[in-house]
Amino acid sequence: MTRAATTATAYGTAGRGARSRRRALLRWSPIAPATVLLLLFLAGPIGYCVYIAFTDMQLTGQESTSFVGLDNFRHAFGDPAFLNAVVLTLVFTLVSSILGQNTLGLALAALMQRASKPVRTVTGAVVITAWVLPEIVAGFLLYTFFERRGTLNAILDQLHLPSQNWLFTLPILAVSFANVWRGTAFSMLIYSAALSEIPKEVTESAEVDGASGRQRLWHVTLPMIRRSIGTNLMLNTLQTLSVFGLIWAMTRGGPGSRSQTLPVFMYDQAFLKSLIGYGTAVALLLLVVGALFSVVYLRLLREEV
């Protein structure tokens, strides 16, 4: 090959490389601002929190911050209060999200499909109103419902049934039911959309074949909306793991630590006891718990056919 041909080939290759880089730049340019914002306001703070979790940083009474390695994490796993918070967080998530919001949302969506339009309108308005309320407002409303002189005990007294101070005797269940009341609308909307996509011919064919309502639900309806179920469970679980304002307004994690979930425990350690390093380590562990739930749900969704 002559020198001129070699030079032309080199220029052609360089030109194609430049054009390829320009095309790649054009493809990435629309999302570049969002990427920069994510790195600045999401990845940056998370990275700084990771650093703080390995230090003994405090809010007050400290001249300098020292690097302590894994001491905060070792202290957490040896702290009975932390282990109690982990157990209560799992109970709160299981009762209020996986069982409560998911099941009640599906039941409401199924019932509203068969209800008249006025009933659907009223039910949807009531359920969605609870969802759009600010978390702190919902917490105060449910506090007045469950407390000793609240609405629930007034109803029980009228029915001549025994009443009690629910926020003292069953605090974790009280805040769990409060979270169910507030968050069921999200599940109801997801399942309403999923159920509306099921062809009527499928359910009618199953009914003609003699399938009972329970059999149609188990063998027809649930398999056809399983992806919506998985998505709803994942989103609800992640949201429930981070609930703080509702519990703080109702019980502040009490009495004692009987409703102190991980977000409340983290706040108590970081801001009330001024242990920023330890509180941030707990926050990272909570992030890991959420990531584990996400991995499980994503694997289940990926394995579905």
Side-chain angles (χ1 to χ4, degrees):
M1 182 181 293
T2 63
R3 180 177 298 179
T6 303
T7 302
T9 302
Y11 277 119
T13 302
R16 286 194 297 272
R19 287 193 297 271
S20 177
R21 287 192 294 271
R22 283 196 297 270
R23 285 196 297 268
L25 183 61
L26 288 174
R27 285 197 300 268
W28 282 97
S29 59
I31 64 172
T35 303
V36 172
L37 290 175
L38 284 174
L39 292 175
L40 184 62
F41 294 106
L42 185 62
I46 290 177
Y48 183 60
C49 287
V50 171
Y51 163 73
I52 293 176
F54 292 91
T55 68
D56 61 352
M57 181 180 290
Q58 298 181 21
L59 279 179
T60 58
Q62 186 182 37
E63 294 183 358
S64 60
T65 300
S66 303
F67 185 81
V68 296
L70 297 174
D71 285 355
N72 287 326
F73 298 95
R74 294 192 190 99
H75 176 54
F77 287 108
D79 186 357
F82 170 78
L83 299 178
N84 173 71
V86 171
V87 172
L88 291 177
T89 301
L90 294 177
V91 171
F92 179 66
T93 303
L94 176 65
V95 173
S96 69
S97 175
I98 298 175
L99 295 179
Q101 295 180 19
N102 185 61
T103 305
L104 184 58
L106 178 59
L108 285 174
L111 291 174
M112 287 180 66
Q113 272 201 324
R114 302 180 180 182
S116 61
K117 186 175 181 180
V119 172
R120 289 199 304 269
T121 303
V122 173
T123 303
V126 171
V127 176
I128 293 176
T129 298
W131 184 42
V132 299
L133 282 176
E135 191 176 59
I136 193 69
V137 175
F140 279 116
L141 286 176
L142 270 299
Y143 171 80
T144 62
F145 180 79
F146 282 110
E147 69 108 11
R148 183 66 185 87
R149 294 169 295 178
T151 308
L152 178 58
N153 283 334
I155 295 173
L156 293 176
D157 290 338
Q158 290 295 323
L159 297 174
H160 303 289
L161 295 174
S163 60
Q164 56 185 308
N165 189 347
W166 302 96
L167 297 176
F168 182 82
T169 57
L170 298 170
I172 191 63
L173 292 182
V175 296
S176 296
F177 286 121
N179 194 50
V180 171
W181 175 80
R182 182 175 182 270
T184 296
F186 181 77
S187 298
M188 184 189 72
L189 292 175
I190 287 183
Y191 289 136
S192 294
L195 291 174
S196 66
E197 296 297 322
I198 298 178
K200 292 184 179 180
E201 296 79 6
V202 176
T203 55
E204 290 174 354
S205 298
E207 189 174 359
V208 169
D209 291 338
S212 64
R214 182 180 300 178
Q215 290 173 329
R216 292 198 302 272
L217 173 66
W218 188 257
H219 297 289
V220 178
T221 303
L222 293 182
M224 295 191 73
I225 64 169
R226 61 187 182 275
R227 294 193 66 84
S228 297
I229 294 174
T231 302
N232 178 66
L233 281 172
M234 181 174 67
L235 295 176
N236 262 334
T237 300
L238 295 178
Q239 187 275 333
T240 301
L241 285 173
S242 64
V243 169
F244 169 78
L246 188 72
I247 300 175
W248 188 257
M250 292 181 65
T251 66
R252 296 203 172 192
S257 58
R258 292 168 57 194
S259 61
Q260 191 178 64
T261 58
L262 280 174
V264 179
F265 178 76
M266 173 189 66
Y267 178 84
D268 177 70
Q269 297 297 316
F271 297 105
L272 300 184
K273 297 181 179 176
S274 299
L275 302 176
I276 291 293
Y278 182 46
T280 307
V282 173
L284 287 184
L285 293 174
L286 178 60
L287 186 64
V288 171
V289 172
L292 291 176
F293 273 107
S294 299
V295 169
V296 171
Y297 288 136
L298 288 174
R299 286 183 65 88
L300 291 175
L301 287 173
R302 189 165 56 246
E303 291 172 1
E304 293 173 353
V305 180

